[in-house]
RNA sequence: GGGCCCGUGGCUCAGCCAGGACAGAGCGACGGCCUUCUAAGCCGUAGAUCCCGGGUUCAAAUCCCGGCGGGUCCGCCA
């Protein structure tokens, strides 16, 4: 809805209607700073220009009025806009869609199957999964991928570890991690075992059946655990793609042929490509004839480009240089390039995490701890055991997801367990609580719903405007791939509703006023529910 | 050493791309609000050299240059 308001402002402004200079404002529903730009060119005061523009324009569509203040041109929505907003929200189950279309691939998480997901992976999952949810809502046909790096050195070491130390009887991904960590220790004190690792890798790439069986078994164990964790935090993948598939299906050969035909490959002993603008050359085939990660990844991207219109990868910032090289190579080959969403590392107060060294906080551990803390809060509220478990699980998962989601991807994070467990600062439960407050009102009334914009007080009007903005934020996330701004939006909405809740009684109101407020509460609860769902956070009706 | 990212009240963050209306939230501190729709809520007070120094501009947290601090990358690893 808000997007329509922006369109109407652009129409109203005519030749001065540039989206870049149209902004949200605390002084108006929308404002433009275009007069400042024009004033600069003409060397006159912005106020003059703004006055001049306002005098000329005729408000169109949803624009109820325009004013010139200090060089800003402010726009206000009319009653019709408010009315249509509530109507659309109450009627449209798919509120938030912006009518986008096309096939989009989002690859995220893709953690090596050598242990459980840790809190760094969670950041990737949460960003990726939330983007997927929001893109879907926008209207895109989204497919999500988890790319399983089954061909790496770390997998060979894992297999070695499983062979030497076996697997303990615990959650399979944790058991795998233990074997992997032990194998790394063993390797450190016995460097001669390197040969064994190399041999495993070589055999795997050459499809030695027995080796394949061992790898597959270890990987599937790890993935079973990883999948269980992801399911718990509401992270879904449509497909799990194995790196080795791209050797088997011929795409690696295809990409090598492509590169060769472009005359890019320098065949020394290994196959090397020199890339303009990069210090180091890229090796795409080892001396022993095997492929490298980048080779298979190029093949994967060729495959992606054939099937999808838009490709998004969610990667850790440590892959930035690699990503730039990949994009450059794809560019040279004329293959559709992915958009890469980089996120900075999550570290612990004592330093960076490492699965190999066993220095990490697993997602499972975090979930359990946060859940215990959440339970403490509701244990004396008269809920049944079952309800307590359900609510604390929903609250814990919400808290974890929101904690990662609300921080801009480019910000490095230092994870603090005490803060993760502090429910005073948990903003997800604030939104969930706000939703259950709205639900509580809805449960207690069965009156008619009838929205009357002219009856709205300031807070109520503000609230409706915020409701109207949800599709606009979806539009922004889809364009900027920054899901944190959606989290911000949801907080803003919840906060405004709580203000309304305090000042405007619903059940005690009468007549038209009551019907009007019920309409507002109904719309708010719906938008909160949809918004929470988009963040992968459960909307709970009682807490 | 070079590339990239980050540096905003005591703490955690938003705002920076497309410069403009008093730099916004939350936590923490202090003070208030439950015979009234769930107080996991609300209101108020205190608290900011927007890392530092230059520059561009009528106007800089935002753009440019130079520093400082932290992170990260620079494998015939993935």
């Amino acid at each position: 809805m808000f997007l329509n308001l922006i369109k109407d402002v652009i129409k109203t402004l005519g030749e001065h209607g540039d989206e870049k200079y149209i902004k949200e404002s605390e002084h108006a529903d929308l404002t433009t700073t275009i007069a400042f730009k024009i004033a600069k060119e003409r060397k006159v005061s912005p106020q003059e220009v703004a006055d001049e523009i306002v005098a000329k324009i005729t408000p169109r569509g949803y624009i109820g009025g325009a004013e010139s203040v200090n060089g800003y041109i402010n726009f206000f929505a009319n009653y019709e806009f408010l009315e249509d907003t509530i109507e659309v929200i109450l009627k449209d189950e798919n509120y938030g869609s912006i009518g986008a279309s096309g096939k989009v691939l989002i690859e995220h998480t893709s953690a090596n199957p050598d242990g459980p997901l840790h809190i760094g992976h969670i950041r990737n999952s949460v960003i990726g999964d939330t983007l997927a949810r929001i893109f879907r809502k926008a209207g895109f046909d989204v497919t999500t991928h988890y790319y399983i790096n089954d061909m790496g050195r770390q997998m060979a070491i894992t297999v070695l570890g499983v062979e030497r130390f076996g697997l303990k009887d615990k959650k399979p991904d944790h058991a795998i991690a233990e074997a992997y960590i032990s194998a790394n220790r063993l390797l450190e004190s016995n460097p001669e075992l390197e040969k064994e690792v190399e041999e495993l890798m070589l055999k795997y790439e050459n499809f030695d059946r027995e080796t394949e069986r061992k790898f597959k078994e270890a990987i599937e164990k790890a993935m079973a655990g990883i999948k269980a964790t992801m399911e718990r935090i509401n992270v879904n993948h449509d497909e799990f793609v194995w790196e080795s598939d791209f050797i088997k299906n011929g795409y690696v050969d295809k990409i090598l042929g492509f590169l060769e035909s472009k005359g890019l490959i320098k065949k020394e002993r290994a196959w090397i490509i020199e890339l303009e603008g990069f210090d180091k050359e890229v090796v795409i085939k080892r001396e022993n004839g095997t492929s490298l990660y980048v080779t298979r990844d190029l093949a994967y991207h060729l495959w992606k480009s054939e099937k999808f219109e838009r490709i998004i990868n969610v990667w850790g910032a440590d892959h930035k240089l690699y990503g730039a090289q990949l994009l450059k190579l794809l560019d040279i080959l004329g293959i559709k390039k992915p958009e890469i969403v980089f996120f900075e590392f999550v570290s612990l107060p004592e330093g960076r995490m490492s699965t190999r060294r066993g220095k990490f906080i697993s997602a499972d551990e975090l979930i359990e701890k946060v859940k215990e803390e959440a339970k403490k809060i509701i244990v004396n509220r008269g809920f049944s055991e079952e309800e307590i478990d359900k609510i604390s699980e929903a609250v814990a998962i919400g808290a974890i997801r929101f904690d990662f989601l609300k921080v801009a991807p480019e910000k490095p994070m230092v994870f603090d367990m005490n803060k993760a467990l502090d429910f005073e600062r948990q903003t997800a439960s604030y939104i969930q609580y706000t939703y259950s407050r709205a639900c509580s009102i809805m449960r207690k009334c069965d009156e008619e719903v009838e929205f009357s914009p002219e009856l709205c007080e300031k807070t109520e009007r503000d609230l409706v405007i915020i409701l109207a903005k949800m599709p606009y934020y979806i539009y922004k996330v889809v364009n900027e791939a920054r899901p944190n701004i959606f989290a911000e939006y949801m907080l803003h909405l919840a906060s405004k509703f709580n203000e309304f809740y305090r000042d405007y009684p619903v059940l005690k109101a009468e007549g038209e006023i009551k019907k009007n407020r019920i309409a507002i509460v109904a719309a708010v609860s719906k938008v909160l529910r949809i918004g929470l769902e988009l963040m992968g956070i459960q909307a709970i009706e009682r807490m």
Side-chain angles (χ1 to χ4, degrees), chain A residues 116-153:
Chain A
L117 295 180
H118 61 57
I119 53 177
H121 301 128
I122 294 294
R123 189 171 191 188
N124 188 324
S125 298
V126 167
I127 292 171
D129 185 69
T130 305
L131 281 177
R133 288 166 184 269
I134 291 177
F135 270 68
R136 244 174 222 137
K137 174 58 83 177
F140 290 106
D141 176 7
V142 177
T143 304
T144 48
H145 273 191
Y146 186 116
Y147 186 51
I148 299 178
N149 305 137
D150 60 330
M151 302 199 60
R153 211 180 107 80

Side-chain angles (χ1 to χ4, degrees), chain A residues 10 21 77 111 131-132 214 228 244 274 286 361 417 446 469 528:
Chain A
I10 292 172
Y21 301 112
L131 281 177
K214 287 181 197 163
S244 56
E274 274 171 3
R286 288 193 187 89
I361 295 176
M417 186 58 94
D446 44 16
K469 286 181 183 176
L528 283 172

Side-chain angles (χ1 to χ4, degrees), chain A residues 111-112 114-125 174 180-181 184 316 318 343-366 404 411-417:
Chain A
N112 292 333
D114 54 17
L117 295 180
H118 61 57
I119 53 177
H121 301 128
I122 294 294
R123 189 171 191 188
N124 188 324
S125 298
H174 290 261
Y180 177 60
I181 293 161
N184 273 294
D318 54 335
F343 65 93
E344 286 290 335
F345 266 50
V346 180
S347 56
L348 300 176
E350 59 268 30
R352 71 179 289 180
M353 285 183 283
S354 158
T355 304
R356 182 166 48 85
R357 285 176 291 146
K359 278 181 62 180
F360 61 87
I361 295 176
S362 74
D364 297 324
E365 182 188 345
L366 176 64
F404 287 106
K411 299 269 187 183
M413 291 176 83
V414 177
F415 182 83
D416 183 336
M417 186 58 94

Side-chain angles (χ1 to χ4, degrees), chain A residues 3-170:
Chain A
L3 288 163
N4 293 328
L5 192 67
I6 294 173
K7 274 185 204 154
D8 288 342
V9 166
I10 292 172
K11 271 192 219 155
T12 300
L13 282 167
E15 54 169 329
H16 303 306
D18 187 340
E19 198 180 342
K20 272 187 189 164
Y21 301 112
I22 295 170
K23 300 177 176 178
E24 292 177 75
S25 166
E26 50 188 306
H27 306 280
D29 296 327
L30 278 168
T31 192
T32 179
T33 54
I34 193 72
F36 290 97
K37 310 295 154 197
I38 297 169
K40 187 167 190 162
E41 288 162 25
R42 296 200 205 144
K43 303 209 189 260
V44 290
S45 85
Q47 176 75 55
E48 260 176 70
V49 179
D51 285 346
E52 200 183 302
I53 293 174
V54 168
K56 269 197 302 199
I57 57 179
T58 322
R60 311 261 295 259
Y62 284 131
I63 312 294
E67 62 176 19
S68 159
V69 184
N70 302 328
Y72 293 87
I73 302 167
N74 292 332
F75 295 92
F76 299 90
N78 58 20
Y79 284 151
E80 197 188 344
F81 177 77
L82 303 177
E83 209 168 326
D84 286 359
T85 294
I86 295 296
E87 194 187 319
V88 166
I89 292 169
L90 294 182
K91 269 192 192 155
D92 186 3
E93 258 318 303
N94 199 27
Y95 183 64
S97 170
I98 53 173
S101 65
K103 295 184 74 168
V104 177
L105 177 78
I106 300 181
E107 181 217 319
H108 67 86
T109 309
S110 304
N112 292 333
D114 54 17
L117 295 180
H118 61 57
I119 53 177
H121 301 128
I122 294 294
R123 189 171 191 188
N124 188 324
S125 298
V126 167
I127 292 171
D129 185 69
T130 305
L131 281 177
R133 288 166 184 269
I134 291 177
F135 270 68
R136 244 174 222 137
K137 174 58 83 177
F140 290 106
D141 176 7
V142 177
T143 304
T144 48
H145 273 191
Y146 186 116
Y147 186 51
I148 299 178
N149 305 137
D150 60 330
M151 302 199 60
R153 211 180 107 80
Q154 86 288 118
M155 270 334 296
I157 295 172
T158 304
V159 168
L160 184 78
V162 174
E163 280 188 328
R164 297 271 169 138
F165 304 101
L167 286 176
K168 295 235 175 84
D169 184 25
K170 48 160 80 173

